């Protein structure tokens, strides 16, 4: 994750079908009420904003995502991104917004300077239900238009209340406009420089500038969260489309001591009078976690993927094995929920090194510290651990895997 000053756009793709997305999250959401701004409200096990962000990042065509927020919220949003965006964090940049929506979008566009992406999507943080089909419709529409927005036809009867009467309004050709609204980047130049007060959204500004615009089919899941009841309704709608199953995995490993000056546990070199013997760096803790992750997705064990007989793994850092297992989880659309490791040994003492070991594991796997637990115990002098012949580690992990997407067309 980058702040605006760190943005170098070096990872921006070259393809014209790629897009950048500006997510506007600067509003206070006064109509929602409550102590927390609505983008920080709990939503399907995370928050509204992180859910929205991940829905955009899920598209492989998204080359960069700019989160525009109020200056006082930048640290909160960076923490939230670190907590919930497991991978692809390098595609996220957080910048400060302005007093009006158009000011915030302008700041987002400024942070894109240097990007080669020709298409910009502008999205509301309070619309978490974006799917890839809508993104594809918007990108298709830009082949023949300067801008496009998702929209739903008005289906309820419309009435206009006047001082002395109520009249009917013809709803034919009336639509509810949603976001993300997609634009050719070149067409946005100059759009946010003038007086934009009163403009409801970017589409309205584009209309006023005479751009060639069109509407594409929107979705009920893209409805905006304005009031608490909207949040409850969307949670129900979206939890019906993606169902996760929670899988457990366990791993166990042992390495014997040999002559040496340190042991490596969770990627941390711990000074000791002995070393752990092994084909790789003998990181018994990360080996146990690797096996637990592979177990959770029924994908064999560490020896299947990295045979000890293969010379290329001699002396290899165990980060290679653990990252491989985490990538296999991610490739299935899954995410690690939590990891709990217990080291079993009389020596060295684990407790003084526990925090660096947690930190190292979190950094490797893009996890938050609350998702990783590292504990240690002795065997009261019994067994090989008690005789100080080696170290054992056992790990238990939980992994969330998507098992059904009811909105999928296949
Ligand atoms: Mg091992």
């Amino acid at each position: 994750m980058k702040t605006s000053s760190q943005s170098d756009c070096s990872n921006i793709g070259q393809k014209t079908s790629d897009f950048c997305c500006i997510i506007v999250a600067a509003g206070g959401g006064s109509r929602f009420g409550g102590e927390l701004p609505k983008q920080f409200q709990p939503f399907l096990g995370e928050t509204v904003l992180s859910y929205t962000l991940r829905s955009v990042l899920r598209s492989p065509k998204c080359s960069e995502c700019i989160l525009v927020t109020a200056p006082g919220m930048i640290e909160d949003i960076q923490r939230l991104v670190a907590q919930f965006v497991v991978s692809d964090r390098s595609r996220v940049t957080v910048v400060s917004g302005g007093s009006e929506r158009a000011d915030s979008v302008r700041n987002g566009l400024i942070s894109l300077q240097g990007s080669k992406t020709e298409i910009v999507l502008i999205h509301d943080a309070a619309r978490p239900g974006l799917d890839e089909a809508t993104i594809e419709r918007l990108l298709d529409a830009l082949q023949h238009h300067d801008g496009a927005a998702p929209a739903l036809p008005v289906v309820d009867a419309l009435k206009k209340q006047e001082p002395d009467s109520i009249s009917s309004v013809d709803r034919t050709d009336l639509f509810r406009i949603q976001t993300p609204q997609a634009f050719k980047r070149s067409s946005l130049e100059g759009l946010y420089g003038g007086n934009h007060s009163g403009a409801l959204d970017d589409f309205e500004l584009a209309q006023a500038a005479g751009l060639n615009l069109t509407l594409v089919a929107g979705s009920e899941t893209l409805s905006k969260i304005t009031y608490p009841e909207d949040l409850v309704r969307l949670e129900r709608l979206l939890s019906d489309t993606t169902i996760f199953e929670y899988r457990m995995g366990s791993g166990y490993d042992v390495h014997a001591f040999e002559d040496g000056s340190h042991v490596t546990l969770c990627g941390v070199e711990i000074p000791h009078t002995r070393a752990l013997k092994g084909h790789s760096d003998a990181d018994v803790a990360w080996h146990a976690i690797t096996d637990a992750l592979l177990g959770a997705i029924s994908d064999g064990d560490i020896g299947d993927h990295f045979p000890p007989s293969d010379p290329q793994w001699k002396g290899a850092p165990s980060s290679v094995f653990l990252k491989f297992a985490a990538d296999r989880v991610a490739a299935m659309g899954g995410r690690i929920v939590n990891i709990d490791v217990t080291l079993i040994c009389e020596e060295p003492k684990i407790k003084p090194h526990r925090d660096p070991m947690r930190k190292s594991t979190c950094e490797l796997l893009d996890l938050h510290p609350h998702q990783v637990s590292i504990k240690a115990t002795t065997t009261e002098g019994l067994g090989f651990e008690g005789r100080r012949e080696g170290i054992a580690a056992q790990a238990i992990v939980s992994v969330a895997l998507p098992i059904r997407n009811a909105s999928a067309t296949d």
Side-chain angles (χ1 to χ4, degrees):
M1 182 174 47
K2 296 169 288 188
T3 62
S4 55
S5 60
Q6 295 167 317
S7 176
D8 59 10
C9 297
S10 58
N11 58 339
I12 302 298
Q14 303 286 324
K15 299 191 295 291
T16 53
S17 57
D18 284 359
F19 67 88
C20 289
C21 185
I22 296 172
I23 298 180
V24 182
S30 56
R31 282 179 290 178
F32 191 90
E35 292 180 4
L36 278 178
K38 62 184 174 186
Q39 55 267 42
F40 295 109
Q41 292 289 329
F43 188 82
L44 290 174
E46 46 183 300
T47 65
V48 171
L49 176 57
S50 60
Y51 199 97
T52 302
L53 174 62
R54 292 197 311 105
S55 74
V56 177
L57 293 176
R58 205 172 294 132
S59 168
K61 292 181 180 174
C62 175
S63 54
E64 184 167 14
C65 201
I66 311 291
L67 278 176
V68 190
T69 185
M73 291 184 191
I74 284 187
E75 284 188 11
D76 289 332
I77 295 223
Q78 285 174 331
R79 254 196 306 275
L80 196 131
V81 172
Q83 182 173 357
F84 290 108
V85 179
V86 172
S87 57
D88 300 325
R89 228 177 271 162
S90 62
R91 286 193 282 164
V92 181
T93 303
V94 183
V95 303
S96 305
S99 58
E100 289 188 36
R101 178 193 173 87
D103 298 320
S104 294
V105 174
R106 184 176 56 215
N107 286 3
L109 288 170
I110 289 170
S111 78
L112 286 178
Q113 284 172 356
S115 160
K116 292 185 172 63
T117 312
E118 295 172 7
I119 294 171
V120 178
L121 268 57
I122 303 171
H123 194 30
D124 293 331
R127 295 184 190 267
L130 177 61
D131 57 53
E132 283 198 57
T134 303
I135 292 175
E136 289 299 324
R137 286 195 289 273
L138 289 165
L139 297 179
D140 284 349
L142 290 192
Q143 294 187 24
H144 303 290
H145 298 84
D146 298 324
L152 288 177
V154 172
V155 293
D156 293 323
L158 292 177
K159 301 293 177 187
K160 182 176 182 183
Q161 186 161 30
E162 294 175 289
D164 300 320
S165 64
I166 294 175
S167 60
S168 295
V169 176
D170 183 4
R171 69 184 178 215
T172 310
D173 300 330
L174 290 185
F175 289 85
R176 294 155 47 203
I177 302 297
Q178 303 176 316
T179 76
Q181 296 172 358
F183 301 94
K184 287 177 182 164
R185 191 164 161 206
S186 55
S187 68
L188 289 176
E189 284 169 13
L191 212 62
Y192 296 90
N195 177 17
H196 40 64
S197 62
L200 284 177
D201 60 14
D202 312 283
F203 211 66
E204 197 166 314
L205 279 174
Q207 275 177 273
L211 298 189
N212 174 22
L213 305 175
T214 190
L215 301 178
V216 303
S219 162
E220 281 299 337
T221 61
L222 263 183
S223 299
K224 189 174 186 176
I225 296 173
T226 304
Y227 300 102
E229 53 268 34
D230 300 330
L231 189 148
V232 173
R233 189 174 64 86
L234 267 180
E235 273 194 316
R236 204 172 295 137
L237 265 178
L238 290 169
S239 62
D240 281 344
T241 59
T242 303
I243 296 176
F244 288 90
E245 63 175 353
Y246 289 84
R247 309 272 295 259
M248 310 297 294
S250 73
Y252 178 77
D253 195 27
V254 173
H255 281 262
F257 283 130
E258 63 178 4
D259 290 342
S261 59
H262 69 271
V263 297
T264 301
L265 297 174
C266 293
V268 177
E269 284 192 7
I270 298 172
H272 189 47
T273 54
R274 316 290 307 277
L276 287 174
K277 184 179 177 183
H279 189 63
S280 65
D281 63 4
D283 190 331
V284 65
W286 274 3
H287 291 184
I289 300 173
T290 302
D291 257 355
L293 288 174
L294 293 172
I297 57 172
S298 305
D299 194 7
D301 62 28
I302 190 170
D304 293 335
H305 299 284
F306 304 97
S309 55
D310 188 336
Q312 69 171 309
W313 308 122
K314 183 164 176 53
S318 297
S319 55
V320 173
F321 313 144
L322 182 52
K323 189 70 172 59
F324 170 85
D327 287 346
R328 301 283 279 202
V329 173
M332 296 174 73
R335 63 187 175 93
I336 300 168
V337 178
N338 74 304
I339 294 172
D340 185 18
V341 187
T342 302
L343 286 146
I344 306 158
C345 58
E346 301 287 336
E347 59 182 25
K349 293 297 176 201
I350 301 300
K351 195 169 181 180
H353 308 285
R354 210 163 53 184
D355 286 344
M357 289 164 63
R358 275 178 91 196
K359 185 167 183 285
S360 170
T361 306
C362 288
E363 284 176 356
L364 182 69
L365 301 178
D366 276 340
L367 295 177
H368 189 271
H370 82 264
Q371 293 172 281
V372 176
S373 157
I374 291 173
K375 315 194 299 294
T377 189
T378 68
T379 55
E380 300 289 334
L382 300 174
F384 68 87
E385 302 101 326
R387 293 191 297 272
R388 293 169 164 78
E389 293 172 0
I391 299 179
Q394 63 180 32
I396 294 178
V397 303
S398 172
V399 164
L401 290 182
I403 54 173
R404 182 168 67 87
N405 188 337
S407 66
T409 52
D410 55 352

